[in-house]
Amino acid sequence: MGDKAGDKKDVWQGTLALMVLKTLQAMGPLHGYGIARRIEQTSGDLLAVNYGTLYPALLKLEQEGYISSEWGVSDNNRKAKYYKLTRAGRKQLNKEEREWEQTTAILARFLAPGEERS
Amino acid sequence: MRWLRSLFSRLGEIFGKRRREQEFSAEMESHLQMHIEDNLRTGMSPPEARRQALMKLGGMEQTRENYRERRGLPLLETFLRDMRFAFRVLRKNLGFTFVVVLTLALGIGANTAIFSVLESQLWRPLPFPDSERLMDVHTVLHDNRRQWDVMPNSIYRAWSEQNHVFASLGAYNYPSHRNFAAGGTSERVVVMPLTASVFKTLDVPLERGRIFLPEEEKTGGDHVAILGNELWRTRLASDADIIGKPISMDGESYVVVGIAPARLRFEFLPEPQIYVPIAMDPTAKLGRGLYVIGRLGSGVTAESARAELDGILQRQLQAEGVKSEDVAAVTNLRVTWTEFSARSLYFFAGAILLVLLIACVNNAGLLLARGMSRRREFALRATLGASRATLIRQSFAESLLLAFAGGAAGTLLGIWGSGAFAVFWNEDTLPRHTETSLDMRVLLFVLGLSIFSSLLMGVLPALFSSRVDVNETLRKGASGLSASRSQHRTRNLLIAVEVSLALALLFGTGLFLSSFVREQQAPRGFDAPGALTFRISLRGEKYAQADQQRRYFRSLTDQIRGLPGVQDVAFGSGVPLADSNLFDSVAVAGQPLLHKHGTGVVVYAVDPGYFDVLHMRMLAGRKIDSSDTAASPRVAIVNRNATHTLFGGEDPMGKVLEFVADERRDVPAEAPVQIIGIAENTQEFGPIEVPFDVIYVPFSQHPDPTGTVVVSANLPRGALLGAIRDAAYTLDKDQPLFDIKTVDQLIGESMRGSRFDLILVGCLAVVALALVSVGIFGTVAYFVQQRTQEFGIRLALGATPIRILRSAISRALVAGALGLLFGVGASLALGRILGSTLYLVPHEHGGMLYGVSIYDPLSMSLACILLLAVLVLASFVPARRAMRVDPMVALRYE
């Protein structure tokens, strides 16, 4: 780990926010644990969500007004804090999705077998 | 704007911390439980399920820490915590806190006061719309010296008709006095002749009525007037129907056409009470030129405006056939109106900044000493894990808190102080009639000053006290430690700096003091202890002829001479120091002109008793006497200075002086005069002036409607004045007496500025001395306390008390002496740099110091001796304790 982990974390946090927003859009209100599991499942267990970064990320999104939280009761009768998308969050998600698609499209062109480049 | 929203949300999270903390714990807990349940469902054993979940969570504490950092504003929270802690520490040391805050309050208060004076006097925009576009337009000689009072009408007219750079140009004359009759009594009012365009230029709409019409600005136009707002309100009870009605000035009738706006001021000029059109001012004579102001058109710079006006000026001069080296000048109106007080204001601001520096250095010394005695505390905290940065931050928090307390107390002191300034500082020295006020700029200044002071006094102590050798400090305990060499050196350096700053102030005070003494002893060239002077300015048709003026003043002086108790009466066009001088230009007959327009001289038209009553000394020839009549040969007396300027030291007796007509003014020259005597020089405005060239001529040959009467009598002032008034009003009740002053009063007023300078500098020096003695006292006292044990041992081993005393104070004394040496050098260097720029040396009649060199050895040695005495006393008092140390008590400290 060490320094390299720090480098990765930045990138990771950026995409983590997007994943959190997308998850909340797909699943509706959800608690922190649920969000983490969902992300891990969606990624086909390729990703491991570090909870030490998940909760600060949730807090940051909440401070920015993209998500809101309230206490609720889970399926198996446990008290949990539920997060849900706000209107601003929905807009932000749309924007980030578009940007992400653009980025990946550009990258994809670079990485594609280069017939055009000759 | 997301960051702003999140900032606010984080700010909010600073509060209710404990609840949030609990909430997060609950969230973590529920997360953990859900994870464990999931793990159990996959078939793990309960302990294994819990272990896996905890592992995944990545360490509760770390997660919690990450979360905390994101929540709230950690930086702000630490800051607040530091502040809270600093507050508790300072509250426990009330004495220390009090001294430091008081010291700072003095420094910051004095600076706040002078800043608010600078702000209101120099920097505050003039009270007109878009006032920074207002320009003062005048001419200067080719060497950039300004010519006052010389702008002729033709130049102004050419400028205002031909220029394309000013949105508007206006002109006014220096205000003069007229007799204004209202409600049966006659009153002297200040009347300013101006063009209607002045109101347009300043962009101030009239309260009522209209400005002058173009035809009213031509000679012979209607007698019209605009009333000043204050006169209208107080004398005419805000009578709205006054417009269109006549008022009487100098026995002539004027029709009121408008009321000027409230608070229209021409700053350094006497406040006008009535405005009249400029063209018909009948008293516009010699020495009453135009003052021109203009409002720059949009997008025009002062420089391009100057270039265009200069072109017009040169063309006009050429067309008039006048040879002249004048060039046009365009300067910011605010700067022009305030510049003559700027130098002395900046000078005092500099002196006051010195006081603040001393205060900060002083406090740095105190904080440093306290830091030493708190080393054990710092060491302990370092062992408990406080980093060096934390300790420095902590030290700064304390000095910041102290500085803010000092700033708050200083602001209060400053409000009071700027009031005191206004009381002391008379209108001669302060040009603008503004109120000093506590506005945003002043408060920002105090804030800046506080932060600046906290840095200045906090940085050294913070660095030192944070650098602790934990091991040694804790082992020995604070009392067993003596301060390190470098700390001693620093503290001695602080003493030296403080002493040298104080020396500069003391030396300055010495200069002002000896200047003041010399001013009082300066030969004035005249004296009339207890004599009363007053002026009369004859107005109206009755006194249009010279003969009528002569007759009035002769019968007035005769009547006063006949009053019981009156010893002698003299009469002249003016008296020295009374600001009543008339100027004219002369040349020696048969010799080429010394200057283009002749040599400027002050002219007094006097009666035969004048020289005797004012005790003026003749150096040669005879005085003006009763044989000098309107019909006899025209004669004059020159003063000593004029014999040098006009005759180059040759004997002037019998020579003839010609008055030089100024081709640019429409005033015919008077007939030549023959010199019959030489008089000793007199002061014209005060001691601080280059002597003027003066000529005295018989009043009978040079009558004037305005004159000054000097009466010496052995009567109380009130009774004398009553009798004189009765006599004057029996003669003509429409001619009021004004400027009633004794000769002693005139002398006192001529010294007023110097007295104020002295008081101000003296106050600063006293404060500086007090600060320095507190600083040295504290340093030595601390030093003695630190070494109590050592002294005890030495006394027990047989050292004499004197030896102990010597070792207790020697360091402070050496430091102080070094400071003195440095201070002497610095003060002399400073005097050399500032000497001429600050007018410290006499210049015309506007210097700050008189008859004293800026290297004055007497002031310097007195300052050194005084400071040395304070140094010895302030270190001796606490050092005495060292001699009286009881060895037993000292040793028991261990």
Side-chain angles (χ1 to χ4, degrees):
Chain A
M1 299 282 255
D3 283 343
K4 272 188 185 162
D7 288 348
K8 273 184 196 160
K9 200 169 140 193
D10 269 349
V11 184
W12 183 221
Q13 271 221 340
T15 46
L16 179 63
L18 179 57
M19 289 181 201
V20 168
L21 291 178
K22 188 69 193 170
T23 307
L24 287 177
Q25 188 197 36
M27 307 287 294
L30 201 60
H31 43 72
Y33 177 69
I35 294 170
R37 289 310 302 264
R38 172 73 191 173
I39 290 175
E40 285 169 351
Q41 280 167 12
T42 312
S43 75
D45 281 331
L46 286 174
L47 284 175
V49 177
N50 179 354
Y51 302 149
T53 59
L54 172 68
Y55 281 96
L58 283 172
L59 183 63
K60 180 164 182 282
L61 285 172
E62 193 178 356
Q63 282 165 350
E64 286 167 342
Y66 295 139
I67 59 177
S68 62
S69 71
E70 63 186 351
W71 285 91
V73 181
S74 74
D75 310 335
N76 34 16
N77 252 348
R78 189 166 288 286
K79 249 186 87 178
K81 200 170 177 186
Y82 277 81
Y83 296 90
K84 67 171 188 237
L85 267 185
T86 63
R87 247 154 55 118
R90 217 157 273 137
K91 259 164 61 184
Q92 176 70 9
L93 177 61
N94 274 334
K95 199 173 128 223
E96 280 193 30
E97 261 179 327
R98 263 202 317 278
E99 279 171 8
W100 183 253
E101 275 158 18
Q102 229 171 7
T103 315
T104 45
I106 293 169
L107 269 179
R109 261 186 249 166
F110 271 100
L111 299 176
E115 311 141 16
E116 288 153 88
R117 291 186 66 193
S118 52
Chain B
M1 294 321 264
R2 281 290 149 189
W3 63 269
L4 196 67
R5 188 201 152 104
S6 100
L7 180 73
F8 274 120
S9 140
R10 290 175 82 166
L11 263 176
E13 283 161 6
I14 289 175
F15 307 100
K17 218 167 178 181
R18 182 179 303 216
R19 192 179 52 78
R20 277 166 214 281
E21 196 78 8
Q22 280 169 355
E23 203 179 293
F24 184 61
S25 292
E27 190 175 5
M28 286 291 96
E29 187 57 33
S30 81
H31 179 110
L32 193 63
Q33 291 308 331
M34 284 192 270
H35 200 162
I36 293 173
E37 279 163 25
D38 271 359
N39 283 352
L40 284 174
R41 232 172 280 136
T42 59
M44 286 185 202
S45 67
E48 182 61 15
R50 188 172 172 78
R51 206 178 67 86
Q52 286 291 340
L54 275 173
M55 241 165 63
K56 189 74 197 298
L57 203 50
M60 261 311 203
E61 261 326 300
Q62 205 186 341
T63 308
R64 214 187 281 272
E65 204 51 53
N66 282 346
Y67 191 79
R68 270 193 209 121
E69 239 161 63
R70 175 64 212 179
R71 192 185 52 203
L73 290 169
L75 218 59
L76 183 68
E77 281 167 47
T78 350
F79 176 75
L80 287 178
R81 199 178 52 223
D82 283 344
M83 281 304 194
R84 260 199 307 273
F85 182 72
F87 180 73
R88 278 203 302 270
V89 168
L90 293 177
R91 204 178 44 187
K92 272 174 74 181
N93 295 277
L94 269 185
F96 167 83
T97 308
F98 180 75
V99 170
V100 172
V101 169
L102 187 72
T103 307
L104 263 187
L106 275 176
I108 292 181
N111 277 280
T112 308
I114 190 83
F115 180 84
S116 63
V117 171
L118 285 176
E119 191 273 330
S120 68
Q121 285 296 324
L122 302 183
W123 304 326
R124 191 180 296 174
L126 298 172
F128 308 112
D130 201 10
S131 62
E132 288 300 300
R133 302 202 68 76
L134 291 174
M135 294 289 140
D136 182 63
V137 181
H138 54 274
T139 58
V140 292
L141 295 174
H142 64 287
D143 60 357
N144 216 17
R145 238 174 340 123
R146 175 159 192 179
Q147 296 175 287
W148 296 94
D149 275 339
V150 293
M151 174 89 61
N153 288 348
S154 59
I155 300 289
Y156 167 67
R157 216 169 299 127
W159 274 348
S160 60
E161 281 162 9
Q162 297 169 29
N163 92 81
H164 303 96
V165 284
F166 283 98
S168 168
L169 216 56
Y172 60 89
N173 283 141
Y174 198 86
S176 59
H177 289 92
R178 309 263 183 98
N179 295 345
F180 169 66
T185 58
S186 173
E187 187 188 351
R188 267 173 71 79
V189 292
V190 179
V191 178
M192 181 188 256
L194 45 62
T195 62
S197 56
V198 167
F199 292 106
K200 273 188 253 164
T201 306
L202 296 178
D203 198 8
V204 283
L206 292 194
E207 166 104 28
R208 262 161 218 280
R210 60 165 173 85
I211 56 177
F212 306 129
L213 304 172
E215 60 264 29
E216 287 166 351
E217 294 190 342
K218 298 205 172 91
T219 316
D222 281 341
H223 272 32
V224 290
I226 292 174
L227 295 182
N229 202 285
E230 202 232 334
L231 181 90
W232 175 61
R233 271 185 288 114
T234 56
R235 299 281 313 200
L236 301 164
S238 304
D239 178 9
D241 296 332
I242 190 77
I243 290 176
K245 293 202 177 130
I247 55 166
S248 167
M249 266 194 297
D250 289 353
E252 292 172 38
S253 177
Y254 290 74
V255 176
V256 177
V257 297
I259 311 292
R263 287 191 295 280
L264 172 60
R265 283 185 190 282
F266 290 80
E267 302 292 1
F268 74 96
L269 299 175
E271 195 183 352
Q273 292 165 290
I274 297 178
Y275 305 86
V276 294
I278 208 160
M280 58 178 206
D281 173 34
T283 63
K285 58 177 267 188
L286 206 63
R288 289 261 184 255
L290 292 179
Y291 290 82
V292 181
I293 56 174
R295 179 177 287 274
L296 282 180
S298 58
V300 181
T301 65
E303 178 44 39
S304 59
R306 195 206 68 80
E308 171 153 344
L309 289 194
D310 196 44
I312 299 172
L313 173 72
Q314 301 310 335
R315 278 200 301 279
Q316 179 67 24
L317 289 175
Q318 209 163 15
E320 289 179 23
V322 179
K323 257 200 230 139
S324 165
E325 293 160 322
D326 296 357
V327 287
V330 174
T331 53
N332 181 298
L333 191 61
R334 174 177 56 82
V335 173
T336 315
W337 278 0
T338 55
E339 80 187 331
F340 72 93
S341 69
R343 285 170 200 250
S344 73
L345 282 176
Y346 282 134
F347 173 79
F348 286 119
I352 286 173
L353 194 63
L354 278 191
V355 173
L356 179 65
L357 286 184
I358 294 179
C360 286
V361 172
N362 214 358
N363 283 346
L366 285 174
L367 283 171
L368 195 62
R370 216 173 61 102
M372 299 288 121
S373 50
R374 277 173 67 193
R375 269 189 307 178
R376 198 181 171 135
E377 174 200 329
F378 278 109
L380 197 62
R381 289 174 51 201
T383 357
L384 292 178
S387 66
R388 181 150 187 233
T390 314
L391 294 179
I392 290 182
R393 220 178 46 216
Q394 181 58 51
S395 285
F396 263 119
E398 278 172 39
S399 48
L400 201 63
L401 205 60
L402 285 169
F404 279 124
T411 310
L412 293 179
L413 262 179
I415 296 171
W416 175 82
S418 57
F421 262 121
V423 171
F424 263 124
W425 220 313
N426 54 62
E427 287 186 8
D428 307 345
T429 17
L430 286 189
R432 292 179 63 180
H433 302 257
T434 45
E435 300 267 308
T436 59
S437 64
L438 197 73
D439 63 357
M440 230 19 231
R441 285 210 270 180
V442 176
L443 288 178
L444 274 180
F445 175 76
V446 174
L447 187 69
L449 219 52
S450 306
I451 292 172
F452 169 74
S453 332
S454 77
L455 284 178
L456 212 58
M457 66 190 200
V459 69
L460 275 180
L463 289 182
F464 271 114
S465 49
S466 64
R467 201 164 46 192
V468 283
D469 181 343
V470 175
N471 200 357
E472 196 187 356
T473 310
L474 288 181
R475 212 178 53 230
K476 286 194 177 172
S479 63
L481 281 169
S482 48
S484 77
R485 247 199 145 74
S486 65
Q487 283 151 358
H488 273 307
R489 213 176 298 136
T490 314
R491 289 169 52 69
N492 290 338
L493 182 74
L494 290 179
I495 289 187
V497 169
E498 206 175 5
V499 166
S500 57
L501 288 173
L503 183 77
L505 271 177
L506 275 182
F507 174 54
T509 310
L511 288 184
F512 277 92
L513 183 65
S514 61
S515 160
F516 187 73
V517 169
R518 271 166 232 229
E519 277 180 45
Q520 273 185 320
Q521 292 166 346
R524 275 183 292 273
F526 75 97
D527 203 4
L532 192 69
T533 72
F534 63 88
R535 310 192 73 202
I536 282 186
S537 196
L538 297 175
R539 301 293 177 180
E541 282 298 313
K542 273 160 69 184
Y543 302 106
Q545 299 299 316
D547 216 35
Q548 297 162 324
Q549 297 165 1
R550 260 194 297 264
R551 208 173 314 127
Y552 173 87
F553 283 122
R554 188 164 323 120
S555 32
L556 179 67
T557 44
D558 284 346
Q559 294 228 357
I560 295 174
R561 198 170 285 122
L563 294 173
V566 171
Q567 289 157 334
D568 218 340
V569 182
F571 174 76
S573 55
V575 286
L577 300 183
D579 205 5
S580 51
N581 347 47
L582 293 173
F583 292 86
D584 212 330
S585 299
V586 296
V588 180
Q591 285 181 14
L593 289 187
L594 284 173
H595 301 280
K596 192 176 43 138
H597 300 298
T599 306
V601 293
V602 177
V603 182
Y604 285 106
V606 302
D607 79 346
Y610 190 84
F611 282 80
D612 295 324
V613 173
L614 288 173
H615 295 98
M616 287 162 63
R617 205 154 66 84
M618 294 295 292
L619 299 173
R622 68 168 176 90
K623 298 170 185 170
I624 306 275
D625 60 31
S626 49
S627 68
D628 298 311
T629 64
S632 68
R634 292 169 64 83
V635 295
I637 292 170
V638 293
N639 75 345
R640 183 159 58 89
N641 208 56
T643 64
H644 292 289
T645 341
L646 290 169
F647 303 97
E650 281 174 41
D651 183 14
M653 297 292 285
K655 297 234 167 84
V656 173
L657 281 183
E658 286 169 340
F659 289 91
V660 179
D662 187 339
E663 70 260 40
R664 305 231 313 257
R665 296 195 201 104
D666 213 12
V667 182
E670 294 190 56
V673 291
Q674 188 176 32
I675 292 167
I676 53 161
I678 304 171
E680 179 55 274
N681 291 346
T682 57
Q683 294 178 4
E684 289 306 311
F685 292 97
I688 306 183
E689 68 187 18
V690 175
F692 283 78
D693 301 319
V694 180
I695 69 173
Y696 301 89
V697 293
F699 186 78
S700 52
Q701 295 173 355
H702 302 257
D704 195 89
T706 304
T708 304
V709 182
V710 187
V711 185
S712 70
N714 51 12
L715 279 179
R717 186 193 146 122
L720 177 65
L721 193 58
I724 292 173
R725 254 207 191 104
D726 287 346
Y729 290 160
T730 321
L731 211 56
D732 184 344
K733 70 165 178 50
D734 289 332
Q735 308 302 333
L737 278 54
F738 62 93
D739 284 356
I740 302 161
K741 280 167 187 168
T742 64
V743 169
D744 304 298
Q745 247 175 318
L746 289 176
I747 294 171
E749 279 170 20
S750 76
M751 310 265 298
R752 200 161 50 174
S754 309
R755 189 174 303 128
F756 175 75
D757 291 351
L758 179 62
I759 291 174
L760 191 61
V761 179
C763 286
L764 295 182
V766 168
V767 171
L769 263 189
L771 291 182
V772 168
S773 37
V774 167
I776 293 169
F777 186 98
T779 304
V780 176
Y782 165 76
F783 183 70
V784 170
Q785 189 220 330
Q786 287 288 295
R787 293 172 62 186
T788 304
Q789 197 186 350
E790 178 203 325
F791 289 147
I793 296 172
R794 284 167 63 180
L795 280 171
L797 293 178
T800 60
I802 293 299
R803 275 189 88 97
I804 298 293
L805 180 71
R806 203 185 304 149
S807 69
I809 66 175
S810 60
R811 285 193 203 198
L813 281 187
V814 167
L818 280 177
L820 270 186
L821 266 178
F822 181 74
V824 169
S827 312
L828 292 182
L830 210 63
R832 195 182 158 76
I833 297 167
L834 298 181
S836 54
T837 42
L838 279 174
Y839 271 9
L840 284 173
V841 281
H843 181 89
E844 308 263 322
H845 48 97
M848 291 179 81
L849 292 179
Y850 168 73
V852 53
S853 151
I854 46 173
Y855 308 118
D856 186 39
L858 181 69
S859 305
M860 184 56 89
S861 15
L862 282 180
C864 286
I865 291 171
L866 187 59
L867 208 49
L868 208 59
V870 167
L871 205 63
V872 171
L873 203 68
S875 48
F876 177 71
V877 173
R880 252 184 346 182
R881 277 224 309 259
M883 299 195 304
R884 302 216 192 100
V885 169
D886 181 348
M888 286 320 291
V889 177
L891 291 175
R892 225 176 285 140
Y893 255 117
E894 188 71 332

